[in-house]
Amino acid sequence: MQETLALVTGAAGGIGEAVTRLLAEQGTTVAAVDRDAERLTETAALLRKEGLAVTEFAADVTSSSAVERLVEEVETRLGPVHQLVNAAGVLRLGPAHTLTDEDWTATLSVNATGVFHMSRAVVARMIRRRTGAVVTVASNAAGTARAEMAAYAASKAAATAFTKCLGLEVASYGIRCNVVAPGSTDTPMLRGMHTAETAAQASVAGRPDQYRVGIPLGKVALPEDVARAVAFLLSDDAGHITMHELTVDGGATLG
Ligand code: NAD
C-alpha cells in the first residue's frame, strides 16, 4: 500500500509542529514546511530522532514561485502529496486605525495569500490524481469581532472563505477541503501577545479590552487539541465532511 504523504506549513513550532508530530505518529510521512529554516531543522531533527518520518523544506508561503518550486521538490523527493495542512500564520495586533500598510500587507500575504499559493499548487496535482484532503488552520477570530485583531481577522475570514469555495470546486474529484478554527492556543504566537500567563488569563476570563468572550471550558487549548481536529478532518473518518469549519475554542464563540 502507498504511504500517505502530508505537507504541513508552519511546521517549525506551535500548532504546525503538533500536527506534524501527530500525523507522523499515525504513520503518515510528513513534509514539514516553514520559513524559519533554523527552527524547522531543529524540530524535524528532534522528530526524526523519535523515529518519525519527517523531512524539512524551508520555504516562504508568500512567494508563489517559491511555493511552486517547493511542491515540485517535495513530490520529486517524497512522492505525491495526499494531504495539505495550511498552518503557517502571523499575528499583528493593534487598533485598526493605527495599523500600518506593512502590518496589513504582512498579515494578509501570509494568512490569506499563502493559503491560496499552497492550496493552488497542491490541489492542481491532487485533481490529476482525483484524491486528497486539505485543512486550513484559520481562527475563531474570522467570525467573531475582537479588539485589535482587524487585520488578522480579515486575513482568516479570507482564508476560510477561500478554503470553502475551493472545497466546492474540487468535491467532484474526491478532494475534501475543511477549516479548523482554533481559539486561544498555547503556542509561541499566543505567548508573543503578552506573557504566557496574562494571555492565558485574559483568554479564559474574557477581558473585554482584548476578548469579546471568555472560554467556557476554562482553559486555553493545547496545540495537540487543535492537531487532533486537523488529523480527524484529514482522515477517512471524515470521509463525508467537506467545506466544514470546525471550531476548537472551548466554547468561546459558540452557543
Ligand atoms: P506560531 O507563531 O507558533 O507558528 C506559526 C509558524 O508559521 C511559525 O513557525 C512561523 O515561522 C511560520 N510562518 C510564518 N510566516 C510564514 C511564511 N510566510 N511561510 C512559511 N512559514 C511561515 O503560531 P501558532 O499559534 O502555532 O499558529 C499556527 C496557526 O494557527 C496560525 O495560522 C495561526 O494564525 C492559527 N491560530 C493560532 C491561535 C493561537 O492562539 N495560537 C489561535 C487561532 C488560530
Side-chain angles (χ1 to χ4, degrees):
M1 208 177 74
Q2 195 178 32
E3 276 175 19
T4 302
L5 174 64
L7 191 162
V8 180
T9 73
I15 291 169
E17 178 183 351
V19 170
T20 299
R21 172 185 287 280
L22 179 59
L23 294 179
E25 284 173 352
Q26 292 174 345
T28 296
T29 300
V30 183
V33 175
D34 205 287
R35 75 173 163 194
D36 185 340
E38 205 174 314
R39 212 153 56 98
L40 179 65
T41 304
E42 282 169 22
T43 301
L46 196 79
L47 294 173
R48 273 196 301 275
K49 234 186 203 170
E50 295 175 31
L52 300 173
V54 175
T55 306
E56 68 271 36
F57 296 84
D60 184 337
V61 299
T62 65
S63 162
S64 66
S65 55
V67 165
E68 194 47 50
R69 277 196 306 276
L70 160 81
V71 175
E72 194 56 44
E73 189 192 343
V74 168
E75 294 218 332
T76 303
R77 284 177 56 189
L78 301 179
V81 175
H82 305 98
Q83 300 174 343
L84 168 65
V85 180
N86 291 305
V90 293
L91 171 68
R92 301 266 184 119
L93 288 174
H97 69 281
T98 68
L99 290 174
T100 63
D101 289 356
E102 209 269 318
D103 287 331
W104 179 265
T105 307
T107 305
L108 271 286
S109 66
V110 180
N111 297 358
T113 310
V115 170
F116 163 59
H117 288 157
M118 282 302 318
S119 303
R120 179 177 59 182
V122 172
V123 167
R125 291 164 169 84
M126 287 175 169
I127 284 174
R128 297 201 283 271
R129 301 189 283 264
R130 295 188 159 263
T131 183
V134 176
V135 172
T136 294
V137 180
S139 170
N140 67 354
T144 299
R146 285 183 159 182
E148 303 201 5
M149 286 201 181
Y152 181 76
S155 71
K156 292 298 188 178
T160 298
F162 171 80
T163 304
K164 289 182 182 178
C165 290
L166 178 67
L168 178 61
E169 290 173 2
V170 300
S172 61
Y173 297 98
I175 300 166
R176 299 180 299 101
C177 302
N178 291 292
V179 175
V180 167
S184 298
T185 306
D186 187 5
T187 69
M189 181 180 280
L190 185 80
R191 287 161 189 248
M193 286 172 67
H194 312 279
T195 67
E197 209 165 274
T198 57
Q201 281 163 358
S203 303
V204 172
R207 238 179 53 200
D209 58 330
Q210 288 287 340
Y211 298 95
R212 184 167 168 151
V213 283
I215 301 177
L217 284 182
K219 57 189 178 192
V220 296
L222 296 174
E224 293 74 20
D225 292 319
V226 181
R228 280 192 290 274
V230 172
F232 163 68
L233 286 172
L234 291 174
S235 76
D236 289 345
D237 289 343
H240 207 50
I241 301 175
T242 192
M243 294 176 270
H244 187 71
E245 184 176 352
L246 178 53
T247 300
V248 184
D249 71 354
T253 57
L254 300 170

